[in-house]
Amino acid sequence: MNINLRISDLSSTSLSEGPPAVCSSEMLDLSQLNCSASRLPPHGNRLAILTMTLGIISNILALFFLVNAYSLQRRRSKATFLLFATSLVITDFIGHVIIGALVIRLHPSEGVSTKEGNISAGLCWFMGGSMVFFGLCPLFMGCAMAAERCLGVTKPLLHSSLVTKRRAKVCLAVIWLVALCVALLPSFRLGSYTYQKPYTWCFIKVLNNTEKVDVVFVALFSGLGLISLALALVFNTISGLTLVLARLRRQPGSHHSTKSNDMEMVVQLVGIMVTSCICWSPLLIFGLMSVVRFYMLDASGPLGDDLCRYIDLIVLGVRFAAWNQILDPWVYILLRRSVLRKIYLIAKCQAGLRGTMISRWEQSSVPSLDKNAVNQV
């Protein structure tokens, strides 16, 4: 998601279900803090436009390669994988454009104070829901893709009978529906979206004045995300080990293009998994830590430096998550078999040149040693 934390200063109206007095108390507590990670950097609007442009170009480029590969692919298992990958890129692209448009549209003007924001409560709710929806979808899709490849590698016959394009599309629809249901939970009073320091973005309420429903909502969001990452790790590990063992047992001189295709897909899945872990784990973990911490401590008085520390952690987590939709397309672009083959040939050529130079040096040094020995005799 293209969240650069630089959109317009928000109004003091909260989306939480509590009375206005609670909201104003929350705004007062947070506004008195000076947290380093939550300060608005200079020239933020230019950086937001540059980041959004980079994400759009990345997703369009990856989509071009995926659609081209899908139209040329006749192998059903590969076509199913490409269908999932294309859906992942399209989802990332839509999320990047929607939230990126909010970032650019609501970027603060010079001289606008925190209390003079121009964003409505409905728009804040929409932004928070978009972050949850477009955050869970890539994690769910990465897990589904890893499960599909694990079944295709370990049980190819069962995979060919169970996995079809129609069932893959149904699976994608279920993923989008589940993510949408989670994002819409605050409309049923199960959690809330609220302003975040420095009042330039909206997300799940995890800091100060948290309630039981907020803890449950954040636990659900973080739990689903972390479980998806853990399952993807297990499935990809099984697939990778199975392919490595099959390659070690392969007879010399035999050629298996099927295993080569499987290896390409598993390498791409590992890249997507690593990217998701790096980008999303901080926000998922920091959000869960924060909401539990402040639900337990809200009744004990001022939070002081503890609150500032957790604000900085949440902002840092969102900044990491912002890069997921930019890096995901490059995983497929750079980890295609044609690109990997070129990298392998270049590395092999460099290793061959290095070996040739060493052998030449050894050959040139050995005769001189023999000649010296003969002269001494």
Side-chain angles (χ1 to χ4, degrees):
M1 65 191 64
N2 189 17
I3 305 299
N4 293 288
L5 313 182
R6 301 169 183 86
I7 58 177
S8 174
D9 296 336
L10 308 180
S11 64
S12 59
T13 306
S14 175
L15 293 179
S16 60
E17 300 299 332
V22 175
C23 178
S24 61
S25 173
E26 179 184 358
M27 293 287 286
L28 179 62
D29 289 340
L30 298 182
S31 61
Q32 293 175 349
L33 298 173
N34 186 20
C35 306
S36 59
S38 56
R39 297 171 188 161
L40 285 173
H43 310 294
N45 195 23
R46 296 177 184 176
L47 184 59
I49 295 175
L50 178 62
T51 305
M52 183 178 179
T53 303
L54 176 61
I56 290 175
I57 293 175
S58 301
N59 282 278
I60 290 178
L61 188 61
L63 191 61
F64 170 78
F65 285 116
L66 283 166
V67 171
N68 185 51
Y70 186 80
S71 62
L72 298 176
Q73 186 56 238
R74 294 183 177 87
R75 188 181 168 212
R76 192 172 70 179
S77 61
K78 178 70 172 179
T80 304
F81 174 83
L82 291 174
L83 176 62
F84 275 111
T86 304
S87 302
L88 174 62
V89 172
I90 292 175
T91 304
D92 281 342
F93 176 75
I94 295 175
H96 194 79
V97 170
I98 289 177
I99 303 178
L102 288 174
V103 171
I104 297 173
R105 168 67 179 81
L106 302 173
H107 189 273
S109 302
E110 293 184 5
V112 176
S113 66
T114 305
K115 297 180 180 179
E116 297 173 347
N118 57 4
I119 184 171
S120 66
L123 191 56
C124 181
W125 187 93
F126 176 74
M127 183 177 186
S130 297
M131 289 180 64
V132 172
F133 176 79
F134 291 109
L136 287 178
C137 281
L139 300 178
F140 289 164
M141 289 182 184
C143 181
M145 293 167 68
E148 185 269 336
R149 272 300 80 216
C150 183
L151 182 63
V153 170
T154 56
K155 304 289 183 181
L157 295 179
L158 181 62
H159 177 274
S160 61
S161 61
L162 289 180
V163 180
T164 61
K165 290 183 180 179
R166 181 177 179 275
R167 290 176 178 173
K169 293 177 181 178
V170 171
C171 180
L172 289 170
V174 170
I175 287 173
W176 286 321
L177 181 61
V178 171
L180 181 62
C181 289
V182 175
L184 291 177
L185 285 179
S187 51
F188 301 99
R189 299 178 183 270
L190 300 175
S192 58
Y193 299 117
T194 188
Y195 308 112
Q196 307 289 334
K197 175 96 176 164
Y199 314 114
T200 54
W201 60 294
C202 293
F203 193 52
I204 303 174
K205 187 178 181 181
V206 296
L207 298 170
N208 213 0
N209 298 323
T210 54
E211 302 175 359
K212 288 184 179 180
V213 289
D214 298 315
V215 178
V216 174
F217 186 32
V218 177
L220 179 64
F221 171 71
S222 298
L224 289 174
L226 293 173
I227 290 173
S228 299
L229 291 175
L231 289 176
L233 175 62
V234 173
F235 291 137
N236 288 328
T237 301
I238 295 174
S239 301
L241 291 177
T242 302
L243 290 174
V244 169
L245 292 176
R247 187 172 184 84
L248 293 176
R249 294 170 183 168
R250 192 178 67 182
Q251 297 295 330
S254 60
H255 181 70
H256 297 279
S257 59
T258 302
K259 294 298 180 183
S260 179
N261 285 325
D262 288 335
M263 184 66 74
E264 177 191 23
M265 290 185 282
V266 170
V267 168
Q268 291 172 354
L269 285 176
V270 171
I272 292 173
M273 180 193 66
V274 171
T275 302
S276 299
C277 286
I278 294 175
C279 293
W280 274 103
S281 292
L283 180 60
L284 298 174
I285 296 174
F286 295 158
L288 189 58
M289 288 170 52
S290 300
V291 74
V292 173
R293 173 78 168 171
F294 292 105
Y295 175 72
M296 296 174 62
L297 295 181
D298 267 348
S300 63
L303 299 172
D305 294 338
D306 234 14
L307 182 57
C308 190
R309 186 183 310 113
Y310 279 92
I311 288 175
D312 288 344
L313 289 176
I314 292 296
V315 173
L316 183 64
V318 172
R319 287 174 176 169
F320 268 91
W323 281 92
N324 184 72
Q325 293 169 332
I326 298 175
L327 297 178
D328 265 351
W330 287 102
V331 170
Y332 180 79
I333 293 172
L334 298 179
L335 297 183
R336 289 176 297 133
R337 187 167 49 171
S338 58
V339 177
L340 292 175
R341 186 184 294 113
K342 291 179 181 178
I343 295 175
Y344 171 75
L345 292 176
I346 292 174
K348 185 178 180 181
C349 181
Q350 294 294 331
L353 290 175
R354 192 179 298 110
T356 303
M357 292 176 63
I358 293 174
S359 62
R360 287 179 179 176
W361 180 82
E362 290 177 346
Q363 292 175 1
S364 62
S365 61
V366 169
S368 62
L369 292 175
D370 292 341
K371 185 177 180 179
N372 292 334
V374 171
N375 291 335
Q376 290 178 1
V377 173

